[in-house]
Amino acid sequence: MKYDIAKLTAAIAAASLLIGTSAARAADNDKSTGQQSSDQQSQQSGAATDQNQSQSGAQSQTGAQIGDASGAISQAASDPQSFVKEAYQENLAEIQLGQLAQQKAEKQDVKEFGQHLITGHQALNDKLKQLADQKNIQVSAQLDARHQRMVDECASLSGADFDKKFLSQQIRAHRKAIGLFQQAASKNSDAEVKDFAQNNLPALRQHLQMAQQHSAASEAAGAQQPGTQQQDSQQQQQGQQQGQQGQQQQDQSQPQQQPPAPKQP
């Protein structure tokens, strides 16, 4: 009896040890799984943080670029000397671009627009030169690097490619010029410069409107061109079919020649 109790006690102790070992292993597995899950969450969180920081940095850079451009216009518009020099360069570039349009444009209305730019911006620069002389401001008759690039971009093109680039460039350039003149009319420290900017805004707005109209007309003409080509192809096919039908009718109307009768012996 004592022997049976001893065996039973030993069996219970072994079972308890086995259960304890299994529980410890399960705890270790749970801990390892939890650690892996925690590591994955940390990695995902870190990746999301890096992405947000990257996006935030890109947005900050874009905003800084926009702010720099706006700040440059504001500075040029408020200072009399900076405005006169910048406006003079803008006019010089427009005159040279108008001359290029006379030489390289494909469409006659674009050539005429180029001549309009030459006349209008030369008149602006004549008045601006008088104002510069009154204020003892030295203006350069040579284009600076930025405006020279504008001219060079169009100088390398001709025909339809020139028309497209020239008109899109005119829209951008005149929008910028209008912004410069508007700010100068309200913020410039010199009263005569403010009057000059205010009085010449209508001419710039007219140029912008003309550039937009010519650009829209060119795009409309380009959109219609594929349909015109398809119509020409259909007319050509119809002409070929009519020609074939006429040939068949002509062949059917001709009498068939009878073979010669055999000679009698």
Side-chain angles (χ1 to χ4, degrees):
M1 183 67 176
K2 292 181 180 180
Y3 177 75
D4 292 337
I5 293 174
K7 289 177 61 178
L8 180 60
T9 303
I12 293 172
S16 298
L17 179 62
L18 180 61
I19 292 172
T21 303
S22 299
R25 289 180 180 177
D28 291 340
N29 290 335
D30 291 342
K31 183 178 180 181
S32 176
T33 302
Q35 183 65 34
Q36 290 177 353
S37 177
S38 177
D39 292 342
Q40 291 178 353
Q41 291 177 356
S42 299
Q43 291 176 355
Q44 293 175 354
S45 177
T49 302
D50 292 340
Q51 184 177 3
N52 291 335
Q53 290 177 349
S54 177
Q55 292 176 352
S56 178
Q59 292 174 354
S60 298
Q61 183 178 4
T62 303
Q65 292 174 349
I66 295 174
D68 291 343
S70 177
I73 293 177
S74 298
Q75 182 179 1
S78 59
D79 179 66
Q81 181 171 325
S82 298
F83 171 79
V84 170
K85 290 184 175 182
E86 176 65 20
Y88 199 84
Q89 285 288 312
E90 292 284 348
N91 289 326
L92 282 179
E94 293 300 338
I95 292 169
Q96 293 192 23
L97 287 167
Q99 293 170 346
L100 283 177
Q102 298 286 294
Q103 303 168 10
K104 293 177 170 289
E106 179 182 60
K107 295 184 178 180
Q108 183 61 32
D109 58 349
V110 178
K111 293 178 180 289
E112 294 174 357
F113 177 49
Q115 181 59 53
H116 188 85
L117 290 176
I118 295 172
T119 303
H121 284 279
Q122 186 61 61
L124 281 176
N125 254 9
D126 290 342
K127 293 185 288 185
L128 196 57
K129 184 64 168 64
Q130 294 178 0
L131 182 62
D133 291 341
Q134 293 174 8
K135 304 295 180 181
N136 294 321
I137 299 174
Q138 298 295 323
V139 292
S140 175
Q142 300 295 325
L143 290 177
D144 59 24
R146 179 170 61 86
H147 290 92
Q148 186 62 54
R149 283 195 299 270
M150 291 174 56
V151 175
D152 293 341
E153 287 177 358
C154 286
S156 62
L157 304 174
S158 61
D161 292 336
F162 174 88
D163 291 359
K164 182 177 180 179
K165 180 66 176 180
F166 171 73
L167 293 174
S168 64
Q169 193 181 77
Q170 287 304 307
I171 292 173
R172 291 195 304 271
H174 279 89
R175 282 175 176 168
K176 181 181 177 182
I178 290 171
L180 174 66
F181 274 60
Q182 283 177 334
Q183 290 190 22
S186 62
K187 298 180 179 180
N188 200 275
S189 60
D190 188 288
E192 291 179 321
V193 173
K194 291 176 69 173
D195 291 341
F196 173 85
Q198 183 63 46
N199 293 336
N200 290 284
L201 268 171
L204 297 177
R205 292 192 178 107
Q206 183 191 34
H207 291 173
L208 174 60
Q209 184 179 10
M210 293 176 67
Q212 291 172 331
Q213 290 174 348
H214 288 304
S215 179
S218 297
E219 291 178 359
Q224 292 176 355
Q225 186 174 2
T228 303
Q229 293 177 350
Q230 183 178 4
Q231 184 177 2
D232 293 341
S233 177
Q234 292 175 351
Q235 291 177 352
Q236 184 177 3
Q237 292 177 357
Q238 291 176 356
Q240 292 176 352
Q241 292 176 356
Q242 291 175 355
Q244 292 175 357
Q245 293 175 357
Q247 182 65 37
Q248 292 175 356
Q249 293 176 356
Q250 183 178 1
D251 293 341
Q252 293 175 358
S253 63
Q254 292 180 353
Q256 297 181 355
Q257 296 182 355
Q258 299 293 333
K263 295 181 179 180
Q264 296 292 331

